[in-house]
Amino acid sequence: MKSGRLIQINTVAASGSVGRIADGIGDLAIASGWESWIAYGRNHPRSRSGLIRIGSKADSWRHGLITRLLDRHGLGSAGPTKEFLRRLDHLKPDLIHLHNIHGYYLNYPRLFDWLCSWGGPVVWTFHDCWPITGHCVHFDFAGCGRWKSSCHDCPEKNSYPASLFADRSRRNHDDKKRAFSKIKDQLTLVCVSDWLSRTVRDSFLGDSRILTIRNGIDTRVFSPVAPKKKNMILGVANVWDKRKGLDDFVRLRELLPQDFKIVLAGLTPAQIKSLPDGIRGMGRTESTRELAALYSEASVFVNPSKEETLSMTNIEALACGTPVVCYDSGGMPETLGPDTGRIVARGDIYALRDATVEISHLSSEKLSETCRLHATRHFDRNERFKDYIDLYNDTLSGSHSRAHIRE
């Protein structure tokens, strides 16, 4: 087994879904003999890995201004990135693992120039579609396929990372292609779903080495911890909007029998006030134990999101013994197994209603056990993080044979 100095780069460390993934990979890397560092852009994390802050809050605001006014996300933060790269020169990493490099903290042309001159192995996990588009992180909702050739007239200009005036999606797409293509010989792309892997193969990075490693969760925390409540329907999101299906839940409430109760977690105070009778709203919580209790109480977890690369919430619900009803959207179907829920056509609110009622009535101890078993077999984070450690070791040794990772 080889080991070395690992540097991961992500918007945040040890918080949020991707930040916790980076932190968990770092923990396992340390246990496997690696020296682990995480470079990040904001917040004040705690981690067993060494931490490197890129820039300051003021730098992030300046980067945001460039994004809002000029539609040039990823092209601010030149000074902070330069300082960070000097730190990398000193650390002399053996392998660099990129996660989200968007998020108002990093200048990607400078980073990729450095990676090219450094010449070492780079693993890049795609958690969304931003690296292959001229602007957006998701394009399914808009039904846009321009990213396959050359972005222009972006229908998602006002979505994250939002531009208020300019549309430089064509130039952004060209700039990304030029920058990212510099390190193709050093690069292994990891996608979190087969859907995303297929998508990337249609992009300018399609001839890269592309693998699928699905995200994992802590199945010890996300486990059945509370008795189920009859006909309790749960929805969870970090940000609720039309893409995540908030309007669909309002319509679903109108169609469900009155003895069904809907609970939505992750709402803003204004959204909570606007909810109709029969839907109880809750704010966002960073407590995984509180979330586990909510998942456990629900008879069905409903996910009407119209854009997902995988869906961590589906997996968390299954681990808590709760079946899932979701749209056939992005990588979401890959989270379900036999007899763990239902997948319905995206936007079909009547099919969503019928599946929700059916699964709620089927709710049983056996069904909960089936859901739990599926999650622990396929999405336990220690197993998925081990896939990354195996990938690191194989990359450093020049071996590419891993039967347990889709390629």
Side-chain angles (χ1 to χ4, degrees):
M1 176 182 291
K2 291 185 176 292
S3 60
R5 181 170 290 152
L6 167 68
I7 310 289
Q8 295 185 81
I9 303 174
N10 185 55
T11 318
V12 295
S15 67
S17 59
V18 181
R20 286 193 291 267
I21 287 168
D23 195 52
I25 292 172
D27 285 348
L28 188 56
I30 292 168
S32 303
W34 287 73
E35 180 183 333
S36 173
W37 292 78
I38 302 175
Y40 65 99
R42 59 174 175 264
N43 299 338
H44 303 283
R46 294 181 179 180
S47 175
R48 290 181 61 207
S49 297
L51 295 170
I52 305 171
R53 173 75 181 261
I54 303 175
S56 64
K57 189 173 183 179
D59 294 319
S60 179
W61 277 100
R62 284 190 286 269
H63 197 145
L65 194 62
I66 291 171
T67 300
R68 295 290 187 274
L69 299 181
L70 304 177
D71 192 24
R72 298 292 278 161
H73 188 66
L75 296 167
S77 303
T81 301
K82 184 178 180 180
E83 290 300 313
F84 166 58
L85 297 176
R86 286 176 182 166
R87 186 77 180 273
L88 287 188
D89 283 330
H90 175 73
L91 284 172
K92 294 180 171 53
D94 293 288
L95 186 146
I96 291 179
H97 185 169
L98 309 177
H99 293 277
N100 288 335
I101 63 170
H102 56 78
Y104 313 105
Y105 76 108
L106 193 65
N107 184 286
Y108 72 79
R110 288 201 172 200
L111 172 64
F112 278 79
D113 283 343
W114 185 93
L115 292 172
C116 184
S117 62
W118 167 64
V122 179
V123 172
W124 190 0
T125 298
F126 281 16
H127 298 276
D128 55 46
C129 303
W130 183 84
I132 59 172
T133 74
H135 179 91
C136 64
V137 294
H138 291 290
F139 43 75
D140 255 12
F141 187 74
C144 180
R146 294 166 189 163
W147 54 272
K148 295 180 182 180
S149 53
S150 180
C151 288
H152 60 89
D153 302 313
C154 179
E156 294 289 277
K157 180 173 73 74
N158 299 124
S159 70
Y160 170 84
S163 172
L164 299 177
F165 308 107
D167 179 355
R168 292 190 168 91
S169 54
R170 186 189 299 274
R171 184 176 175 186
N172 291 337
H173 193 260
D174 290 344
D175 286 348
K176 288 181 182 180
K177 182 177 181 180
R178 182 164 46 252
F180 302 161
S181 297
K182 290 179 180 180
I183 66 164
K184 278 189 178 181
D185 292 340
Q186 304 164 236
L187 183 62
T188 299
L189 293 181
V190 177
C191 296
V192 298
S193 65
D194 289 337
W195 172 85
L196 187 54
S197 290
R198 292 192 298 269
T199 298
V200 174
R201 287 192 176 95
D202 286 335
S203 75
F204 60 78
L205 290 173
D207 59 350
S208 304
R209 182 176 177 235
I210 302 172
L211 312 174
T212 298
I213 300 178
R214 294 185 179 87
N215 292 333
I217 62 168
D218 188 340
T219 55
R220 296 168 302 175
V221 173
F222 290 102
S223 62
V225 294
K228 296 210 169 294
K229 296 181 178 178
K230 184 178 179 181
N231 295 341
M232 173 183 161
I233 312 305
L234 177 66
V236 175
N238 286 329
V239 178
W240 280 103
D241 55 19
K242 289 184 177 180
R243 299 165 191 269
K244 288 293 185 180
L246 182 57
D247 291 351
D248 295 61
F249 266 115
V250 173
R251 293 184 63 200
L252 185 63
R253 171 60 277 170
E254 296 171 354
L255 298 173
L256 284 172
Q258 289 303 306
D259 60 335
F260 280 75
K261 303 299 179 185
I262 297 175
V263 177
L264 300 183
L267 294 164
T268 66
Q271 288 172 327
I272 293 173
K273 289 181 180 179
S274 69
L275 293 174
D277 292 340
I279 302 181
R280 179 166 68 93
M282 303 172 59
R284 181 179 176 182
T285 176
E286 283 286 345
S287 170
T288 52
R289 297 191 181 279
E290 288 181 12
L291 282 174
L294 280 173
Y295 285 128
S296 299
E297 290 175 346
S299 59
V300 185
F301 179 76
V302 175
N303 191 343
S305 175
K306 300 172 181 68
E307 287 184 330
E308 293 290 339
T309 51
L310 185 64
S311 181
M312 298 296 282
T313 55
N314 283 10
I315 297 167
E316 290 165 355
L318 292 171
C320 293
T322 301
V324 173
V325 174
C326 66
Y327 284 152
D328 186 358
S329 178
M332 282 208 293
E334 298 173 40
T335 62
L336 273 65
D339 303 317
T340 61
R342 295 288 184 272
I343 301 164
V344 303
R346 183 168 60 180
D348 189 338
I349 193 70
Y350 293 99
L352 191 73
R353 185 241 357 235
D354 293 346
T356 298
V357 172
E358 177 194 4
I359 294 299
S360 186
H361 289 163
L362 289 175
S363 183
S364 65
E365 185 175 342
K366 182 179 179 181
L367 177 57
S368 292
E369 291 174 353
T370 300
C371 294
R372 169 73 180 168
L373 183 61
H374 176 73
T376 55
R377 280 182 173 175
H378 298 283
F379 299 104
D380 180 80
R381 70 172 188 171
N382 291 328
E383 291 300 314
R384 300 292 67 79
F385 296 164
K386 185 177 182 297
D387 287 341
Y388 279 108
I389 305 304
D390 290 346
L391 175 57
Y392 298 162
N393 293 328
D394 290 348
T395 299
L396 290 183
S397 67
S399 170
H400 299 322
S401 60
R402 290 170 316 287
H404 59 288
I405 300 176
R406 294 176 180 265
E407 185 167 4

